[in-house]
Each structure stands twice: as C-alpha cells, then as structure tokens.
Amino acid sequence: MSIAIYIAVMAGVTYLVRMIPFTLMRKKIKSRFLRSFFYYIPYAVLSAMTIPAIFYSTGNIITAAAGTAAAVILAYFGLPLIVVALAASGTAFAVGLFV
C-alpha cells in the first residue's frame, strides 16, 4: 500500500512541476535575460548531473579522465554520438588495463 502512495506523490509532484509554468505564464516571455536563462537551464542541469557521474563511474579517476578527454575531443570534431560513446568507453577500458 505504501508503494502506491509513493508513486502517487511522485506522479503529483512531476505533474505540478510541468503544469505550473503553463498556468502562470500565459503570455510570451519578452525578457531577453529570462529567455536565455530558460534556454540554457536544460544544458546546465544535464551537465550538473552527468559530469559527477562520469568521474565516479569507473572507480578510478584516471580512467574516467581519459575516457572523458577522448569523448570531448571526438565530440569537438563532430563525430556521431555512438562513435564518441564507444571510443570513450574503449579508452577508459584500455587505460584501465595499464593502470
């Protein structure tokens, strides 16, 4: 029974977080500051959640840094996401063999 309550509360909170902006902001936002703020929020939140997970994922900071460096370099050159992900994983694995 308690799990159903947890799921209901989670669903309600998720719904409210998505519904409140629609009900409070009916007009188009004209402020350049607010528009740019809302534009960059998803990227900032995603980075804040992803970057720490990257460096704790392998259990070794050296392998994580090597994989991250490989991913950043390949992404800078515009390679597809699957190539970047596989190369970063392979680099972390290869460095892990030598460390």
Side-chain angles (χ1 to χ4, degrees):
M1 180 63 183
S2 65
I3 200 103
I5 294 170
Y6 296 148
I7 292 172
V9 169
M10 182 181 65
V13 169
T14 303
Y15 177 73
L16 287 175
V17 167
R18 293 170 188 249
M19 182 208 49
I20 288 174
F22 286 118
T23 59
L24 295 179
M25 295 185 224
R26 294 181 183 233
K27 296 179 185 176
K28 184 174 180 175
I29 299 172
K30 295 181 182 176
S31 169
R32 284 182 70 193
F33 174 76
L34 282 178
R35 287 175 58 143
S36 65
F37 177 76
F38 288 135
Y39 178 79
Y40 287 111
I41 283 288
Y43 300 110
V45 170
L46 185 62
S47 298
M49 292 186 328
T50 305
I51 297 299
I54 289 171
F55 287 107
Y56 289 108
S57 63
T58 64
N60 186 342
I61 195 75
I62 296 169
T63 58
T68 302
V72 168
I73 291 168
L74 294 176
Y76 178 77
F77 287 113
L79 291 165
L81 178 61
I82 189 70
V83 173
V84 172
L86 290 174
S89 299
T91 302
F93 180 73
V95 171
L97 291 175
F98 298 110
V99 174

PDB file of all heavy atoms in Angstrom, residues 1 5 10-11 14-15 27-29 36 60 79 90:
ATOM      1  N   MET A   1       0.819  -1.197   0.000  1.00  0.00           N
ATOM      2  CA  MET A   1       0.000   0.000   0.000  1.00  0.00           C
ATOM      3  C   MET A   1       0.860   1.256   0.000  1.00  0.00           C
ATOM      4  O   MET A   1       0.556   2.214  -0.681  1.00  0.00           O
ATOM      5  CB  MET A   1      -0.919  -0.027   1.221  1.00  0.00           C
ATOM      6  CG  MET A   1      -1.826   1.162   1.335  1.00  0.00           C
ATOM      7  SD  MET A   1      -2.959   1.229  -0.047  1.00  0.00           S
ATOM      8  CE  MET A   1      -3.808   2.716   0.313  1.00  0.00           C
ATOM      9  N   ILE A   5       1.263   4.891  -2.551  1.00  0.00           N
ATOM     10  CA  ILE A   5       1.267   6.286  -2.092  1.00  0.00           C
ATOM     11  C   ILE A   5       2.515   6.999  -2.612  1.00  0.00           C
ATOM     12  O   ILE A   5       2.438   8.142  -3.074  1.00  0.00           O
ATOM     13  CB  ILE A   5       1.183   6.348  -0.552  1.00  0.00           C
ATOM     14  CG1 ILE A   5      -0.167   5.810  -0.091  1.00  0.00           C
ATOM     15  CG2 ILE A   5       1.394   7.763  -0.045  1.00  0.00           C
ATOM     16  CD1 ILE A   5      -0.265   5.609   1.399  1.00  0.00           C
ATOM     17  N   MET A  10       4.837  10.967  -6.245  1.00  0.00           N
ATOM     18  CA  MET A  10       5.807  11.246  -7.295  1.00  0.00           C
ATOM     19  C   MET A  10       5.114  11.719  -8.571  1.00  0.00           C
ATOM     20  O   MET A  10       5.547  12.683  -9.209  1.00  0.00           O
ATOM     21  CB  MET A  10       6.631   9.994  -7.597  1.00  0.00           C
ATOM     22  CG  MET A  10       7.696  10.225  -8.652  1.00  0.00           C
ATOM     23  SD  MET A  10       8.650   8.742  -9.019  1.00  0.00           S
ATOM     24  CE  MET A  10       7.400   7.703  -9.721  1.00  0.00           C
ATOM     25  N   ALA A  11       4.022  11.092  -8.937  1.00  0.00           N
ATOM     26  CA  ALA A  11       3.273  11.499 -10.126  1.00  0.00           C
ATOM     27  C   ALA A  11       2.697  12.897  -9.944  1.00  0.00           C
ATOM     28  O   ALA A  11       2.739  13.721 -10.871  1.00  0.00           O
ATOM     29  CB  ALA A  11       2.164  10.496 -10.418  1.00  0.00           C
ATOM     30  N   THR A  14       5.563  15.479 -10.165  1.00  0.00           N
ATOM     31  CA  THR A  14       6.009  15.587 -11.546  1.00  0.00           C
ATOM     32  C   THR A  14       4.998  16.369 -12.378  1.00  0.00           C
ATOM     33  O   THR A  14       5.375  17.231 -13.181  1.00  0.00           O
ATOM     34  CB  THR A  14       6.219  14.186 -12.153  1.00  0.00           C
ATOM     35  OG1 THR A  14       7.150  13.491 -11.351  1.00  0.00           O
ATOM     36  CG2 THR A  14       6.727  14.272 -13.572  1.00  0.00           C
ATOM     37  N   TYR A  15       3.746  16.110 -12.178  1.00  0.00           N
ATOM     38  CA  TYR A  15       2.698  16.814 -12.914  1.00  0.00           C
ATOM     39  C   TYR A  15       2.681  18.298 -12.558  1.00  0.00           C
ATOM     40  O   TYR A  15       2.584  19.157 -13.429  1.00  0.00           O
ATOM     41  CB  TYR A  15       1.333  16.189 -12.639  1.00  0.00           C
ATOM     42  CG  TYR A  15       0.203  16.918 -13.313  1.00  0.00           C
ATOM     43  CD1 TYR A  15       0.020  16.809 -14.689  1.00  0.00           C
ATOM     44  CD2 TYR A  15      -0.660  17.727 -12.585  1.00  0.00           C
ATOM     45  CE1 TYR A  15      -1.005  17.485 -15.318  1.00  0.00           C
ATOM     46  CE2 TYR A  15      -1.689  18.402 -13.205  1.00  0.00           C
ATOM     47  CZ  TYR A  15      -1.862  18.283 -14.576  1.00  0.00           C
ATOM     48  OH  TYR A  15      -2.872  18.956 -15.194  1.00  0.00           O
ATOM     49  N   LYS A  27       1.457  34.526 -21.293  1.00  0.00           N
ATOM     50  CA  LYS A  27       1.948  35.404 -22.349  1.00  0.00           C
ATOM     51  C   LYS A  27       3.361  34.985 -22.743  1.00  0.00           C
ATOM     52  O   LYS A  27       4.070  34.328 -21.990  1.00  0.00           O
ATOM     53  CB  LYS A  27       1.984  36.848 -21.850  1.00  0.00           C
ATOM     54  CG  LYS A  27       0.627  37.403 -21.518  1.00  0.00           C
ATOM     55  CD  LYS A  27       0.756  38.820 -21.019  1.00  0.00           C
ATOM     56  CE  LYS A  27      -0.595  39.344 -20.575  1.00  0.00           C
ATOM     57  NZ  LYS A  27      -0.490  40.678 -20.001  1.00  0.00           N
ATOM     58  N   LYS A  28       3.765  35.405 -23.919  1.00  0.00           N
ATOM     59  CA  LYS A  28       5.109  35.114 -24.380  1.00  0.00           C
ATOM     60  C   LYS A  28       6.103  35.922 -23.544  1.00  0.00           C
ATOM     61  O   LYS A  28       5.893  37.091 -23.255  1.00  0.00           O
ATOM     62  CB  LYS A  28       5.253  35.482 -25.849  1.00  0.00           C
ATOM     63  CG  LYS A  28       6.588  35.119 -26.412  1.00  0.00           C
ATOM     64  CD  LYS A  28       6.658  35.368 -27.893  1.00  0.00           C
ATOM     65  CE  LYS A  28       8.030  34.974 -28.379  1.00  0.00           C
ATOM     66  NZ  LYS A  28       8.166  35.076 -29.794  1.00  0.00           N
ATOM     67  N   ILE A  29       7.201  35.267 -23.170  1.00  0.00           N
ATOM     68  CA  ILE A  29       8.229  35.937 -22.373  1.00  0.00           C
ATOM     69  C   ILE A  29       9.041  36.831 -23.299  1.00  0.00           C
ATOM     70  O   ILE A  29       9.631  36.356 -24.276  1.00  0.00           O
ATOM     71  CB  ILE A  29       9.128  34.904 -21.676  1.00  0.00           C
ATOM     72  CG1 ILE A  29       8.303  34.037 -20.744  1.00  0.00           C
ATOM     73  CG2 ILE A  29      10.256  35.591 -20.934  1.00  0.00           C
ATOM     74  CD1 ILE A  29       9.055  32.871 -20.158  1.00  0.00           C
ATOM     75  N   SER A  36      16.969  33.639 -22.365  1.00  0.00           N
ATOM     76  CA  SER A  36      18.260  32.955 -22.431  1.00  0.00           C
ATOM     77  C   SER A  36      18.452  32.051 -21.205  1.00  0.00           C
ATOM     78  O   SER A  36      19.029  30.972 -21.309  1.00  0.00           O
ATOM     79  CB  SER A  36      19.402  33.947 -22.552  1.00  0.00           C
ATOM     80  OG  SER A  36      19.502  34.732 -21.388  1.00  0.00           O
ATOM     81  N   ASN A  60      37.959   4.732 -10.836  1.00  0.00           N
ATOM     82  CA  ASN A  60      39.339   5.204 -10.943  1.00  0.00           C
ATOM     83  C   ASN A  60      39.305   6.536 -11.689  1.00  0.00           C
ATOM     84  O   ASN A  60      38.856   6.598 -12.836  1.00  0.00           O
ATOM     85  CB  ASN A  60      40.186   4.178 -11.685  1.00  0.00           C
ATOM     86  CG  ASN A  60      41.657   4.537 -11.709  1.00  0.00           C
ATOM     87  OD1 ASN A  60      42.042   5.678 -11.483  1.00  0.00           O
ATOM     88  ND2 ASN A  60      42.484   3.539 -11.987  1.00  0.00           N
ATOM     89  N   LEU A  79      31.946  14.081 -34.425  1.00  0.00           N
ATOM     90  CA  LEU A  79      31.644  12.675 -34.706  1.00  0.00           C
ATOM     91  C   LEU A  79      30.296  12.289 -34.105  1.00  0.00           C
ATOM     92  O   LEU A  79      29.827  12.910 -33.155  1.00  0.00           O
ATOM     93  CB  LEU A  79      32.754  11.789 -34.148  1.00  0.00           C
ATOM     94  CG  LEU A  79      34.080  11.930 -34.909  1.00  0.00           C
ATOM     95  CD1 LEU A  79      35.209  11.324 -34.121  1.00  0.00           C
ATOM     96  CD2 LEU A  79      33.967  11.270 -36.260  1.00  0.00           C
ATOM     97  N   GLY A  90      35.876   2.605 -24.693  1.00  0.00           N
ATOM     98  CA  GLY A  90      37.077   1.835 -25.056  1.00  0.00           C
ATOM     99  C   GLY A  90      38.341   2.440 -24.491  1.00  0.00           C
ATOM    100  O   GLY A  90      39.237   1.719 -24.021  1.00  0.00           O
TER     101      GLY A  90
END
